[in-house]
Amino acid sequence: MNTIAIDPSRAHAARSGFGLAELFRREPYFAATACLMVIAMAPTLFAMAVDPRQFNGINIWDKPFKFEVALAVYLGTLALFAGWLPQGMTARRSYRIFSGIVCAAVIAEMVWIGGAAANGVASHFNNTSPLMSALYPVMGIIAITLTSASLVYGIAFLRNRDSMLDPAFRLSLGLGLVLTFVMTLVTTGYMVSGTGHWVGGNASDAEAVAFMGWARDGGDLRVAHFFATHALHFIPAAGFVAAATLKPDAARAAVWIGSIAYTVFIAFTLFQAVAGRPFLSFL
């Protein structure tokens, strides 16, 4: 059985575990913005309780809440991974500027989505006015900007030959993060090329899969988008298990095979949606 090694110069991180204070030590900007998303959930839930308005068959504040959860998880994950980046990377001025831009993009995204909810209009696929039509591409650039952090992290892991992490685990981090950016771009790009995320069935979330909101009676492009954005969780988790249970060469092979299989799975869910078929109609 292998051990996932940690850089001795970061022994403090290993002893401290992965609590909130440790996340702030590793990446204060991402940790702080993740906490801001968590704090924002309280007024969003309050608005959901007192505001009876609906959009697409569900409470109008449901979407802002889901985005707050997703962005908190995303930034918290990056803050965790920051502790394993190449030594000194997070201390560079260029990196601090970049991470600040990413956090600003996250906040802008939530202002956009929350503002749309407050006004009772769609935040996505909204061409009902010249202003909304003009702002939508800008929000696309903002979304790419916040997702680009996964690409930067992924490349840094893949290029860091001096890392003391287990090679298979490091590979899984790099591939998972890069695939998150690439596949999110692919799935989102396909979605925005159309007029919505539904393909066939009713254009409503009223009878959708609980919490996830995926359509039961037709295709839903959000399924592929969801799995694309969570490659940075699924692939490193599999890599962690492979590194801890397999021999080095077998572990690296398992990571490559798992990453390819996960990419094929995302493609399958995208093609399934395009064909108008629901992902899990039995739920």
Side-chain angles (χ1 to χ4, degrees):
M1 182 178 293
N2 299 329
T3 301
I4 296 181
I6 304 293
D7 187 338
S9 65
R10 301 182 183 183
H12 171 73
R15 292 194 301 268
S16 300
F18 302 131
L20 185 59
E22 177 60 20
L23 294 183
F24 270 90
R25 191 195 71 80
R26 292 182 175 209
E27 222 304 346
Y29 288 0
F30 289 170
T33 310
C35 287
L36 180 62
M37 294 298 103
V38 174
I39 293 170
M41 292 177 198
T44 303
L45 287 172
F46 177 76
M48 194 181 299
V50 300
D51 189 347
R53 291 178 300 164
Q54 291 195 341
F55 191 82
N56 291 333
I58 58 174
N59 188 279
I60 201 163
W61 293 99
D62 184 82
K63 185 172 184 176
F65 178 74
K66 288 180 179 177
F67 267 77
E68 286 162 355
V69 172
L71 290 171
V73 171
Y74 174 66
L75 291 171
T77 302
L78 292 179
L80 172 63
F81 290 171
W84 299 323
L85 289 171
Q87 191 72 26
M89 177 174 168
T90 58
R92 297 173 191 162
R93 185 169 181 269
S94 58
Y95 172 86
R96 294 197 302 271
I97 292 173
F98 171 73
S99 59
I101 292 173
V102 169
C103 292
V106 168
I107 294 170
E109 177 94 344
M110 284 313 310
V111 169
W112 165 264
I113 294 172
N119 285 283
V121 299
S123 57
H124 294 74
F125 307 105
N126 189 340
N127 294 310
T128 58
S129 71
L131 177 61
M132 296 300 287
S133 296
L135 287 177
Y136 193 34
V138 176
M139 297 314 300
I141 294 172
I142 288 175
I144 292 172
T145 300
L146 69 90
T147 311
S148 68
S150 62
L151 178 65
V152 170
Y153 272 40
I155 293 174
F157 281 121
L158 292 175
R159 294 181 61 184
N160 186 23
R161 301 295 182 183
D162 296 327
S163 172
M164 294 300 291
L165 288 172
D166 181 279
F169 181 56
R170 179 176 63 83
L171 177 64
S172 71
L173 287 169
L175 292 178
L177 286 157
V178 170
L179 282 175
T180 292
F181 178 79
V182 173
M183 297 308 292
T184 297
L185 225 59
V186 170
T187 55
T188 304
Y190 189 88
M191 274 200 292
V192 300
S193 67
T195 58
H197 52 75
W198 293 290
V199 182
N202 296 317
S204 172
D205 291 324
E207 301 297 327
V209 175
F211 187 76
M212 303 307 298
W214 299 334
R216 299 171 187 262
D217 59 351
D220 197 326
L221 299 172
R222 292 174 297 182
V223 177
H225 180 265
F226 170 84
F227 286 110
T229 59
H230 287 284
L232 80 167
H233 296 113
F234 287 110
I235 294 177
F240 184 91
V241 174
T245 58
L246 300 175
K247 293 182 179 180
D249 288 345
R252 287 193 294 273
V255 169
W256 276 110
I257 293 171
S259 298
I260 293 170
Y262 192 79
T263 303
V264 171
F265 171 70
I266 294 172
F268 165 76
T269 60
L270 180 61
F271 292 139
Q272 182 185 48
V274 171
R277 296 195 300 270
F279 177 56
L280 297 172
S281 58
F282 57 87
L283 291 180

